[in-house]
Amino acid sequence: MDAREFTKESTGKLVRIPNGPPDIQVAFIPAPLPPKWSWPNRLWNLLVQARTCLSSLDGVGKHLPNPEILIWPLQRREAQLSSQLEGTITDPQQQALFEADPRYPISASDPANAFREVFNYRQALRLRLDGRNQLPLSLRLMRELHAILMDGVRGSNQQPGEFRTIQNQIGRPARFVPPPPENLSEALNDLERYLHVNDSPIDPLVRAFLVHYQFEAIHPFCDGNGRVGRLLLSIMIAEWCGLSSQWLYMSAFFEKHKRDYMDLLLGVSTHGAWDLWIEFCLNGVVSQARDTEKRCDRLLQLHRDFHNRLKEGSVRLSQLVDNLFKNPIITVSRYSKEFGVTYPTARSDLNKLHRLGIVEPLSGLDVITYYCASIYGVTYEDEPEEGQAA
């Protein structure tokens, strides 16, 4: 890390690391939040636009009897894209097959590592929604999210669920060096105090992105900091902005603009460029809220269309259709077990959905398996941008 990049407007201080390698002679300790920064008037309109788009998105699922039919596909997409930001790329269909029968990797080279990492991310996303964790936003919540993420995957030997006790760095050679271990506790305690502030004059959406920067600058874990930071961001936006559920996820925008994302985070540290960071994030909220609302509308249309095709279908078939939005891949044996029906009945039900054009059989597998291509398309495929050929 080049200390010369850090100007007098820097949002923290540099400290020397004795006997460090050439690229980590100094580390950066961010100043406690809130920042010494004045809100620029030019961002008011963008903030109003972002909050309006967020409110509109929340309204899509707010009054649904079962909002989970939308939440599950959104979370599957978020788990894929957040992991992709860290270089973990899996095929959505293969990922769903893995999640139908998840397993732990048996070695660092086992391909199951990648699938397990994405699976763990989705498990962490469900932590609050499934009622397994009602802790306030806190250091303990961060540790629990990290423990779930690192469960049984590469890096699981690096203190899962525990803050680091060694120096880490971003990039090799180091582009950024977060606080040394001896300064970590103070930085984290300052962050937790800010999380518990109830009377902040800063808009809660903006505040969530201030915290996201701070968490990434502190980089408190040996591994998995980016993923924990984005998990925490989705929780903060949902809870601080009073959403009915976790409707907004930012990984797709961060992945699409990865270089800007990394540069702007660094720019806050080196130049105190809060304006540019917050502007970037608010534009991301507008973009992601609009994109997600369109996906939700298409998923709802698909859900209605499937049920219309069933017409006088049984309650069991209706439940099966709803479950496809949770996991668009289903085996005959799993359906038989989950719904308590015989194997022939389960196969007959899935054949009926096949005849109705709702699911398609997957070939080349040891067990009879069906998948819903339509749900995949809406969840993972991007619509062409204006002026771009389809």
Side-chain angles (χ1 to χ4, degrees):
M1 185 172 74
D2 189 350
R4 293 171 297 181
E5 293 185 3
F6 291 80
T7 67
K8 63 180 181 179
E9 287 80 23
S10 171
T11 55
K13 64 181 180 180
L14 295 174
V15 295
R16 298 205 65 82
I17 301 177
N19 305 316
D23 59 331
I24 54 171
Q25 290 291 307
V26 294
F28 179 77
I29 303 175
L33 295 175
K36 296 176 181 178
W37 169 62
S38 298
W39 174 263
N41 288 330
R42 68 181 182 84
L43 293 184
W44 277 119
N45 287 339
L46 181 57
L47 175 59
V48 171
Q49 185 181 15
R51 293 303 300 262
T52 300
C53 290
L54 193 57
S55 178
S56 179
L57 171 60
D58 189 45
V60 171
K62 196 170 186 177
H63 303 294
L64 287 177
N66 182 15
E68 291 287 276
I69 63 171
L70 302 181
I71 291 292
W72 275 97
L74 297 180
Q75 291 190 326
R76 298 186 78 87
R77 175 178 168 81
E78 167 66 9
Q80 293 270 163
L81 291 172
S82 186
S83 300
Q84 188 171 309
L85 262 168
E86 308 300 325
T88 300
I89 301 173
T90 63
D91 175 74
Q93 190 178 99
Q94 293 299 315
Q95 182 67 42
L97 282 169
F98 174 86
E99 293 184 10
D101 186 22
R103 68 177 179 87
Y104 286 101
I106 58 175
S107 69
S109 60
D110 189 339
N113 273 289
F115 295 116
R116 187 79 201 189
E117 285 177 18
V118 178
F119 173 79
N120 286 353
Y121 192 94
R122 197 168 59 77
Q123 292 293 101
L125 280 172
R126 300 296 307 176
L127 185 65
R128 304 285 264 199
L129 298 183
D130 290 345
R132 288 178 287 144
N133 182 304
Q134 297 303 320
L135 288 170
L137 289 160
S138 60
L139 301 184
R140 183 178 168 189
L141 175 61
M142 295 176 197
R143 292 196 299 269
E144 291 205 16
L145 292 172
H146 186 258
I148 295 171
L149 280 176
M150 306 308 293
D151 180 31
V153 298
R154 289 169 296 206
S156 60
N157 60 333
Q158 298 186 24
Q159 302 173 285
E162 299 295 334
F163 295 127
R164 60 183 168 87
T165 56
I166 60 174
Q167 182 66 58
N168 58 358
Q169 64 188 74
I170 298 175
R172 295 187 183 278
R175 190 179 189 220
F176 179 81
V177 181
E182 58 267 26
N183 300 105
L184 193 60
S185 179
E186 182 180 1
L188 284 169
N189 288 336
D190 286 337
L191 177 57
E192 186 171 52
R193 278 191 288 271
Y194 186 70
L195 288 172
H196 294 164
V197 170
N198 294 320
D199 56 352
S200 173
I202 300 174
D203 183 273
L205 182 59
V206 173
R207 191 166 164 239
F209 290 115
L210 297 181
V211 171
H212 184 65
Y213 159 78
Q214 194 79 355
F215 179 88
E216 297 302 335
I218 295 171
H219 237 59
F221 298 106
C222 290
D223 191 16
N225 291 283
R227 284 167 289 165
V228 175
R230 290 185 289 277
L231 281 164
L232 195 63
L233 180 61
S234 66
I235 294 172
M236 287 188 295
I237 291 175
E239 297 183 6
W240 285 355
C241 295
L243 305 185
S244 58
S245 193
Q246 290 178 25
W247 293 109
L248 187 77
Y249 300 103
M250 293 294 295
S251 290
F253 184 80
F254 291 158
E255 166 65 20
K256 187 176 182 179
H257 304 280
K258 185 174 181 178
R259 177 60 67 86
D260 289 337
Y261 173 61
M262 301 301 294
D263 287 349
L264 290 166
L265 280 170
L266 183 62
V268 175
S269 299
T270 58
H271 292 77
W274 287 110
D275 295 26
L276 296 178
W277 166 245
I278 296 301
E279 183 176 22
F280 171 77
C281 292
L282 292 180
N283 276 317
V285 171
V286 172
S287 174
Q288 282 309 111
R290 287 174 174 171
D291 176 84
T292 304
E293 186 169 350
K294 289 178 183 177
R295 288 183 198 277
C296 286
D297 286 341
R298 291 166 63 200
L299 286 167
L300 283 173
Q301 290 172 15
L302 205 58
H303 185 261
R304 285 192 291 265
D305 177 51
F306 286 170
H307 280 280
N308 286 336
R309 293 187 206 182
L310 289 177
K311 294 181 180 176
E312 301 302 323
S314 67
V315 173
R316 187 175 66 247
L317 284 179
S318 294
Q319 291 175 339
L320 173 56
V321 164
D322 286 351
N323 278 14
L324 288 173
F325 287 82
K326 178 179 178 180
N327 189 339
I329 283 185
I330 183 76
T331 64
V332 175
S333 55
R334 183 161 64 89
Y335 173 50
S336 171
K337 181 179 179 180
E338 289 182 359
F339 283 78
V341 296
T342 64
Y343 189 92
T345 298
R347 188 165 186 181
S348 174
D349 283 353
L350 285 164
N351 278 333
K352 182 173 184 178
L353 292 193
H354 179 212
R355 292 194 301 271
L356 292 171
I358 295 174
V359 297
E360 302 172 18
L362 278 173
S363 59
L365 299 175
D366 294 335
V367 295
I368 300 175
T369 306
Y370 293 82
Y371 79 109
C372 182
S374 302
I375 294 176
Y376 273 113
V378 174
T379 303
Y380 295 105
E381 294 173 6
D382 293 324
E383 291 184 328
E385 296 179 5
E386 291 185 16
Q388 182 181 345

